[in-house]
């Protein structure tokens, strides 16, 4: 009895000890599990090393294009597959120009796409195709556009013919009147001359491109007049620079002429023609600049009339030299002929720039008259 009471009496204390013992045992187990999990985490395998990217594959486009467009047996399957892909997609409507039905059925087949127009000719020739008949048939001419080119026909033709007539007359005099040595010297001089003149011929074309942008401006005020004066002045300065360059090249002709001939008589005739050639080329830059500026201002009538005069006067003077040489009145050589030709270029250059000065005064006068009219209207409103 007492032993049992003692056992029962000690139950609460024993229960508390049992609970604490159980708690201590559970905590140890949790701690050991945590340690084990940390060990497992520490024993996890390392991440794999980064792999290098694979090099891009090289595609031979040339081989694929040749297989699709060629007729080899190796690309037959590719061509068949490509054709089947076109027929099964909307691309068939763009590639089938013969009106065959596409994937849309009969309705799509009835709606044919309009064919693109063939390339047409720009300018005053009309027609659908570019062929010799388009250029030779009068019915292919668009008269409305041909009228736009009509004002340029006569001035450009007379300009070209007027230039050529002087060279032809000079060559005629050299071949029919002068001696063998003068003719050989003329051939050398003229060959070098034809190599030097294109250097400044481009100046006329550049002036024809820049001057119209200023001349055709809608603003008819002082700024336009000043801009036109500065533009023409700039081309004059460039022409002077090119003239100096050509004269320096002419000074080298005696050295270059040795590669054409070794005859001392011919070389002496070449040296005798150098003053006339130099005089012609020293103003040739100014001449080209002035002519291009006049064309840029569309002063076509003046150029037409002047070159029509030169077409007759220059050959007439050359033929006069020929007659005087035949009659023995004047000793005519290659130097005399080139001196006359340089005088023609001096007259032409002076005429062009006098005309440009006249046009500039006319432009300034128009600006002054416009300002006066504006002042009168302003006073009337006041």
């Amino acid at each position: 009895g007492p032993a049992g009471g003692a056992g029962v009496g000690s139950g609460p204390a024993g229960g508390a000890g049992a609970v604490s013992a159980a708690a201590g045992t559970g905590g140890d187990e949790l701690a050991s599990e945590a340690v084990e999990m940390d060990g497992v985490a520490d024993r996890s395998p390392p991440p794999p090393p980064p792999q290098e990217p694979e090099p891009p594959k090289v595609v031979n486009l040339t081989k694929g294009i040749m297989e699709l467009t060629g007729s080899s047996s190796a690309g037959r399957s590719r061509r068949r597959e490509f054709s089947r892909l076109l027929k099964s997609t909307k691309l068939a409507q763009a590639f089938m120009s013969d009106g065959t039905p596409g994937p849309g059925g009969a309705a799509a087949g009835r709606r044919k796409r309009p064919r693109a127009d063939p390339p047409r000719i720009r300018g005053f020739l009309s027609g659908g195709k570019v062929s010799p008949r388009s250029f030779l048939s009068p019915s292919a001419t668009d008269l409305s556009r041909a009228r736009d080119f009509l004002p340029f026909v006569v001035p450009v033709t007379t300009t070209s013919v007027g230039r050529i007539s002087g060279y032809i007359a000079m060559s005629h005099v050299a071949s029919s009147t002068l001696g063998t040595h003068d003719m050989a010297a003329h051939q050398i001089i003229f060959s070098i001359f034809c190599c030097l003149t294109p250097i400044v011929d481009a100046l006329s074309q550049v002036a024809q491109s820049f001057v119209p942008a200023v001349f055709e401006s809608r603003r008819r005020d002082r700024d336009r007049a000043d801009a036109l004066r500065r533009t023409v002045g700039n081309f004059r300065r460039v022409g002077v620079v090119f003239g100096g360059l050509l004269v320096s090249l002419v000074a080298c002709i005696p050295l270059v002429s040795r590669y054409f001939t070794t005859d001392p008589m011919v070389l002496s005739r070449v040296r005798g023609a150098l003053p006339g050639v130099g005089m012609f080329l020293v103003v040739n830059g100014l001449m080209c600049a002035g002519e291009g500026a006049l064309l840029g201002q569309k002063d076509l009538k003046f150029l037409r009339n002047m070159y029509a005069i030169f077409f007759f006067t220059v050959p007439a003077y050359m033929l006069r030299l020929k007659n005087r040489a035949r009659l023995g009145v004047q000793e005519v050589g290659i130097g005399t002929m080139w001196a006359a030709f340089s005088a023609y270029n001096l007259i032409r250059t002076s005429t062009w720039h006098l005309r440009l000065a006249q046009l500039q005064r006319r432009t300034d006068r128009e600006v002054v008259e416009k300002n006066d009219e504006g002042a009168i209207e302003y006073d009337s409103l006041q």
Side-chain angles (χ1 to χ4, degrees), residues 13-334:
V19 170
S20 60
T25 305
D28 294 338
E29 292 177 356
L30 291 175
S32 62
E33 290 179 1
V35 172
E36 292 178 358
M37 292 179 65
D38 292 338
V40 172
D42 294 338
R43 293 192 299 271
S44 61
Q51 299 180 357
E52 296 182 358
E54 297 181 359
K57 297 181 179 180
V58 179
V59 180
N60 192 348
L61 295 178
T62 304
K63 182 179 179 182
I65 293 173
M66 293 300 295
E67 289 181 354
L68 287 177
T69 58
S71 59
S72 61
S73 58
R76 187 176 303 165
S77 59
R78 289 182 181 270
R79 292 193 295 272
R80 190 182 299 110
E81 182 180 356
F82 184 67
S83 178
R84 185 168 56 253
L85 177 63
L86 288 180
K87 292 180 181 179
S88 61
T89 59
K90 293 182 179 181
L91 293 176
Q93 299 178 1
F95 284 92
M96 291 182 180
S97 60
D98 54 351
T100 56
R110 288 193 299 268
R111 294 192 301 270
K112 296 181 180 180
R113 289 179 175 268
R115 296 186 179 182
D117 293 336
R120 295 185 178 275
I121 304 170
R122 294 180 180 271
F124 57 88
L125 294 176
S126 61
K129 297 181 180 180
V130 180
S131 62
R133 181 176 297 180
S134 302
F135 296 95
L136 301 177
S137 177
S139 61
T141 304
D142 190 350
L143 296 179
S144 61
R145 294 188 178 182
R147 293 190 187 96
D148 298 335
F149 292 88
L150 188 60
F152 298 91
V153 174
V154 177
V156 173
T157 304
T158 53
T159 300
S160 301
V161 175
R163 284 183 172 185
I164 296 172
S165 64
Y167 299 127
I168 294 176
M170 188 167 54
S171 298
H172 169 70
V173 173
S175 61
S176 61
T177 306
L178 304 182
T180 305
H181 295 95
D182 285 323
M183 182 60 193
H186 172 71
Q187 185 65 28
I188 295 173
I189 288 292
F190 191 71
S191 300
I192 300 175
F193 176 83
C194 292
C195 295
L196 296 179
T197 51
I199 297 177
V200 293
D201 284 344
L203 190 59
S204 175
Q205 301 173 6
V206 175
Q208 295 175 44
S209 302
F210 281 89
V211 173
V214 182
F215 179 75
E216 297 177 358
S217 177
R218 296 181 179 179
R219 298 176 55 185
R220 302 289 175 173
D221 53 2
R222 174 57 58 185
D223 293 338
R224 172 183 172 273
D226 294 340
L228 189 60
R229 182 186 294 106
R230 288 194 301 269
T231 303
V232 175
N234 290 334
F235 279 106
R236 284 172 177 164
R237 285 190 284 271
V238 175
V240 171
V241 172
F242 274 95
L245 175 63
L246 291 178
V247 170
S248 63
L249 294 176
V250 169
C252 301
I253 290 180
L255 300 176
V256 178
S257 60
R258 297 178 181 178
Y259 296 96
F260 291 88
T261 182
T262 57
D263 191 336
M265 295 296 294
V266 176
L267 293 176
S268 65
R269 299 294 197 280
V270 170
R271 289 192 295 269
L274 291 182
V277 177
M279 186 62 66
F280 184 98
L281 293 177
V282 73
V283 297
N284 202 37
L286 284 171
M287 189 278 299
C288 291
E291 183 177 307
L294 289 175
L295 288 172
Q297 299 186 37
K298 295 183 178 180
D299 198 6
L300 305 178
K301 185 177 179 180
F302 174 79
L303 289 173
R304 178 196 64 191
N305 296 336
M306 291 307 303
Y307 270 110
I309 295 173
F310 293 147
F311 174 76
F312 294 102
T313 56
V314 176
Y317 186 80
M318 291 295 175
L319 294 177
R320 180 176 178 271
L321 288 178
K322 174 184 174 181
N323 292 332
R324 290 174 67 87
R326 283 187 172 182
L327 296 175
V329 178
Q330 181 181 358
E331 183 179 355
V332 178
I334 184 176

